Amino acid sequence: MSVVLSVSPQSPDEVVVSVPAASAADVGKAAEAARAAQPGWAAAPPAHRSAALHAAADAVAADAADLVALTVREVGKPVTEARGEVARAVDLLRYYAQQVYDPAGAVHEPSGGPGLAYTRRRPRGVAGLVTPWNFPLAIPLWKAAPALAFGNAVLLKPAPQATACALRLAELVTPHLPEGLLTVLPGDAEAGQAVVAASDVVSFTGSAAVGAVVGSRAVARGVPVQCEMGGQNPTVVLPDADVESAARQIAYAAFGYAGQKCTATKRIILVGDPAGFTDALVAAVTALACGDPAAPDTTVGPVIDEAARARVLAAADSGVAAGGRLLTGGRAADGPGWFVAPTVLTDLPAGHLLQQEEVFGPICALSRVDTLDAALDAANAVRYGLSAAVFTADLDAALRFADGSAAGQVKVNAPTAGVDFYLPFGGERDSSFGGREQGKAAQDFYTSLRTVTVAPAGR
């Protein structure tokens, strides 16, 4: 029997949880239970589903302190961000508890005379959710909460590094749901593949490589699928930007939680040479508190594991070898844990890894161009299109950037990192496949639309 082992990234000798991995047979049994529970849940009055989600939100809120501590311990998220994630988990449950009352269709005039034509939304059935470790509470719930709200059952396969968080979340939520409606299935590729194969609708967040496999397998089965994947997110700084404010926001967007967010800034593109920006950026980066994620002032904790740290350090070495200049960082911290200093490189070739691909960690590249058009070309010259930002006081330039950006999420004078749960979220190109997540868009994904035409009898 294979085992899922989750360890603390700041203290790798500490085992957070060790549990048996779900086999394909285990997933099959969970899917059978989900299919048995789902019809009754879908047929229940909206007020019943709403009350269940509100009760789940109350349970998560009551356990907030322990959930924060577990999130810090298992994935190394700085405690301030962990508190924010727990609050978001509660908000997601409450938000979708209210969405059960949203319109389920529309009424139309029939084309053939008297009668009635209307549309109606229905749940898809069993939702298979494959989630990452970096938001171990929020991402499972921004998928599961709408899936449940609109009448589906849920099979949740969390990343192995976030197993304890997912299991604790289920302990808090499932007492308020019918038995078998939501099941957490720990494991790696085997469990994930089985969940995709057993579900009626699939939602995935993770790497582009794995997302491509998940998407193709779901499409081959003919089931709806959304895949949220990588980002190589640019931030453009125009000459009229507030240098100090932009530097602070960009430093946090690039290095908060050790840069382990799909929306983290990975490329900084300066138009011209905003006076003092590079110095302000280096000062803002070096001022970030790095270390124990449980400390209240920490901004940059560890990366998730040894392999992640090795990738960051290798990318920094590769950049220097390619002629780039190291502005700060590029070194591992002493002592236990997978800590690496926030790293900024400049003067890299356009085709270098750090200019083209996502290195999931605290590292980014700085470059310069002469015009806004050149900045847009550079920002869009990658295969991803998740998040992008521009810092400027010029409204015309901001709107030109928003219109010309290939990203699904565009920020003006705000960091690339950060997602509002009540707004649609998703990217373009290799960053996303399928419908948007969150907000009102979730209903479109987790339900199917039927059209009904009723004519008078005997006409």
Side-chain angles (χ1 to χ4, degrees):
M1 176 185 295
S2 60
V3 171
V4 177
L5 187 70
S6 176
V7 301
S8 178
Q10 59 268 24
S11 183
D13 291 335
E14 177 187 355
V15 175
V16 180
V17 70
S18 177
V19 295
S23 65
D26 295 329
V27 174
K29 291 177 183 177
E32 289 178 9
R35 292 194 190 286
Q38 187 269 330
W41 172 253
H48 178 83
R49 297 197 302 276
S50 179
L53 291 177
H54 274 304
D58 291 341
V60 172
D63 198 57
D66 287 344
L67 281 172
V68 168
L70 180 59
T71 301
V72 172
R73 182 178 171 221
E74 185 169 38
V75 300
K77 178 162 286 193
V79 65
T80 301
E81 290 206 30
R83 291 193 187 105
E85 182 165 354
V86 173
R88 175 174 293 191
V90 175
D91 288 343
L92 283 161
L93 287 163
R94 297 207 191 286
Y95 176 74
Y96 287 107
Q98 291 303 115
Q99 276 207 36
V100 302
Y101 299 113
D102 277 8
V107 177
H108 301 266
E109 293 291 340
S111 62
L116 174 67
Y118 66 92
T119 60
R120 187 174 185 183
R121 291 192 174 277
R122 296 182 181 178
R124 295 194 184 274
V126 175
L129 313 179
V130 182
T131 59
W133 51 263
N134 57 334
F135 287 87
L137 306 175
I139 291 182
L141 282 179
W142 85 38
K143 297 176 187 292
L148 293 168
F150 301 125
N152 299 278
V154 168
L155 303 178
L156 171 61
K157 206 298 288 183
Q161 301 95 325
T163 297
C165 285
L167 291 173
R168 181 58 186 152
L169 202 57
E171 289 173 353
L172 296 168
V173 171
T174 54
H176 308 287
L177 303 174
E179 184 176 356
L181 193 72
L182 185 153
T183 303
V184 173
L185 297 156
D188 211 328
E190 179 186 1
Q193 291 166 6
V195 165
V196 172
S199 301
D200 302 308
V201 57
V202 175
S203 183
F204 166 88
T205 300
S207 71
V210 177
V213 175
V214 169
S216 64
R217 292 188 178 186
V219 168
R221 292 186 53 237
V223 302
V225 58
Q226 61 184 188
C227 295
E228 292 301 333
M229 299 172 285
Q232 235 287 359
N233 309 304
T235 292
V236 171
V237 183
L238 295 181
D240 64 346
D242 182 321
V243 166
E244 297 296 330
S245 175
R248 286 194 304 272
Q249 293 190 66
I250 294 168
Y252 184 81
F255 302 116
Y257 190 24
Q260 297 174 123
K261 303 173 185 177
C262 61
T263 55
T265 297
K266 295 300 176 185
R267 292 174 293 144
I268 305 164
I269 303 167
L270 305 184
V271 177
D273 188 10
F277 178 82
T278 300
D279 290 342
L281 177 68
V282 172
V285 171
T286 55
L288 297 174
C290 306
D292 180 4
D297 62 341
T298 294
T299 300
V300 184
V303 292
I304 193 64
D305 55 28
E306 185 176 16
R309 185 175 70 174
R311 283 192 292 271
V312 173
L313 294 173
D317 290 344
S318 169
V320 172
R325 182 163 53 94
L326 191 67
L327 295 178
T328 187
R331 65 186 185 282
D334 294 331
W338 311 123
F339 294 92
V340 57
T343 301
V344 182
L345 292 99
T346 190
D347 302 331
L348 290 167
H352 188 267
L353 170 73
L354 290 170
Q355 298 278 35
Q356 294 295 322
E357 295 295 332
E358 181 182 46
V359 177
F360 209 61
I363 188 167
C364 70
L366 175 71
S367 60
R368 292 176 179 81
V369 295
D370 293 329
T371 65
L372 175 57
D373 287 339
L376 272 167
D377 288 343
N380 294 338
V382 295
R383 65 189 182 104
Y384 299 102
L386 185 56
S387 186
V390 62
F391 285 83
T392 180
D394 184 337
L395 179 59
D396 287 344
L399 293 177
R400 281 179 59 201
F401 182 85
D403 288 343
S405 173
Q409 176 174 279
V410 180
K411 304 283 195 73
V412 177
N413 296 321
T416 59
V419 176
D420 292 316
F421 65 84
Y422 49 85
L423 296 177
F425 174 69
E428 305 292 341
R429 302 178 176 183
D430 284 356
S431 287
S432 297
F433 177 81
R436 292 294 192 246
E437 292 197 277
Q438 302 196 90
K440 298 294 186 181
Q443 186 186 49
D444 294 335
F445 182 69
Y446 288 108
T447 62
S448 61
L449 194 63
R450 313 290 175 88
T451 300
V452 180
T453 302
V454 181
R459 62 171 182 159

